[in-house]
Amino acid sequence: MAGRFAPSPTSDLHVGNLRTAVVSWLAARHAGVPHLIRVEDLDATRVKAAPEVATRQLADLAAIGVVPDGEVVWQSRRLDLYEAAVNRLPTYECYCTRREIAEAASAPHDDGHRPYPGTCRELSAAARAARRAERPPALRVDARGAVVTVRDRWAGEVTGTVDDFVVRRNDGAHAYNLAVVVDDLEQGVTQVVRGDDLLTSSPRQAWLARALGGTEPEYAHVGLVTNAVGARLAKRDGVVTLADLAGQGWTPGRVLSLIGNSLGLCEADEPVDLDALLARFDPALRPEVWVFPPAR
Ligand code: GLU
């Protein structure tokens, strides 16, 4: 049993990401299970600086006390595991371009995901061969419109219809949804604390976990951190990473106090460490939306 934090090394972590990492660590410690860190660098070929960014992310996490129990796992070194999982799933080849899907599919859902309309599921062998000659196929699961309900610690029951989502892209890269589920199963992850932008992906991932013969973890999706005008906090909001904040005289310790304060666990100027926050942590309490920087 374990918890984990799994950043993608696309850019430096901002205070919202760090806060999610803190909640993930606190939840694992509170449950008495190890807390792992996994670098989700499957897109490393597209993100050239991924190793450097990941190294900075790990250093920033360590600076606020979030050090992994055990070795950091890098997804880019586990491709065999993902391929083996793909081979155990019901899948079919899909030759559709983005454009074709957009034309055939219904409108995107709230989370921007456009359910795949199943165009390539029933192709004849001849049609398949013709299309394969045009472009390399992606691989989709054959989910048969499964309806899956998962439990989120704070949001309660979340139900979603699982569409035939991609598990291997047509450039050969394994998809995020696949890798995350394979890793969580393989690493014995039983609790997943992460940003609530992934809440709507959890029925899909639970379906995959079950299709691979496993059980999904307990989910706990942490609410957004927003900027002063209520939009999701992003790098472009200015001073949001530890490095940005250091430039304004903020130590990692002061940032941790702010994070603890946003969770209702300490005063904003109270010197704390993770163990002090843990002593006051109640896993049943949902972290509130945090506006950053906090008004003075
Ligand atoms: N790597 C994903 C991200 O940074 C998170 C995956 C997860 O926690 O399941 O958005």
Side-chain angles (χ1 to χ4, degrees):
M1 301 202 309
R4 54 51 162 197
F5 183 66
S8 302
T10 45
S11 63
D12 287 349
L13 299 172
H14 62 56
V15 287
N17 307 132
L18 294 171
R19 181 195 197 219
T20 302
V22 165
V23 179
S24 179
W25 187 95
L26 291 171
R29 274 291 181 285
H30 191 274
V33 300
H35 186 255
L36 313 173
I37 297 183
R38 182 169 73 229
V39 177
E40 305 218 309
D41 60 342
L42 275 187
D43 261 342
T45 47
R46 291 206 287 184
V47 187
K48 279 231 169 51
E52 294 83 59
V53 176
T55 303
R56 281 205 305 276
Q57 291 180 330
L58 296 172
D60 284 352
L61 289 166
I64 57 166
V66 180
V67 285
D69 298 319
E71 293 263 308
V72 172
V73 159
W74 297 67
Q75 287 190 328
S76 58
R77 301 175 192 165
R78 294 159 67 84
L79 305 187
D80 291 350
L81 215 57
Y82 308 137
E83 192 53 27
V86 164
N87 290 326
R88 289 168 48 212
L89 290 167
T91 56
Y92 60 87
E93 292 186 352
C94 170
Y95 318 91
C96 293
T97 61
R98 257 173 224 279
R99 177 131 175 244
E100 286 168 334
I101 296 172
E103 280 165 7
S106 48
H109 287 178
D110 291 348
D111 63 350
H113 182 76
R114 209 186 268 280
Y116 181 66
T119 319
C120 288
R121 192 193 298 124
E122 314 290 353
L123 291 184
S124 69
R128 216 169 269 287
R131 295 231 55 191
R132 202 181 286 130
E134 287 164 18
R135 61 197 310 266
L139 219 51
R140 290 184 178 276
V141 290
D142 191 355
R144 310 252 151 207
V147 176
V148 171
T149 298
V150 300
R151 262 206 81 71
D152 180 90
R153 182 181 297 179
W154 303 303
E157 290 196 342
V158 179
T159 300
T161 303
V162 181
D163 77 323
D164 293 350
F165 59 93
V166 170
V167 285
R168 197 178 64 210
R169 302 193 317 226
N170 83 339
D171 63 0
H174 297 105
Y176 153 72
N177 277 311
L178 174 84
V180 89
V181 170
V182 170
D183 284 335
D184 284 343
L185 288 175
E186 196 273 334
Q187 296 185 278
V189 169
T190 44
Q191 56 178 59
V192 164
V193 178
R194 60 186 179 188
D196 73 358
D197 52 327
L198 290 168
L199 180 64
T200 53
S201 292
S202 45
R204 214 174 283 139
Q205 294 179 4
W207 179 88
L208 203 46
R210 296 174 197 175
L212 289 169
T215 312
E216 70 272 18
E218 185 212 1
Y219 295 107
H221 288 88
V222 181
L224 289 176
V225 176
T226 71
N227 61 20
V229 295
R232 169 187 208 90
L233 192 73
K235 285 269 293 178
R236 64 177 172 277
D237 287 313
V239 182
V240 293
T241 66
L242 280 194
D244 302 336
L245 286 157
Q248 310 231 330
W250 287 77
T251 61
R254 279 185 69 197
V255 176
L256 183 63
S257 297
L258 270 192
I259 290 173
N261 181 248
S262 81
L263 299 169
L265 300 177
C266 65
E267 299 299 327
D269 56 1
E270 184 184 344
V272 284
D273 59 15
L274 286 182
D275 285 324
L277 297 180
L278 177 61
R280 307 172 194 173
F281 178 67
D282 178 353
L285 291 185
R286 182 183 203 154
E288 303 212 4
V289 173
W290 186 29
V291 181
F292 191 88
R296 292 164 195 261

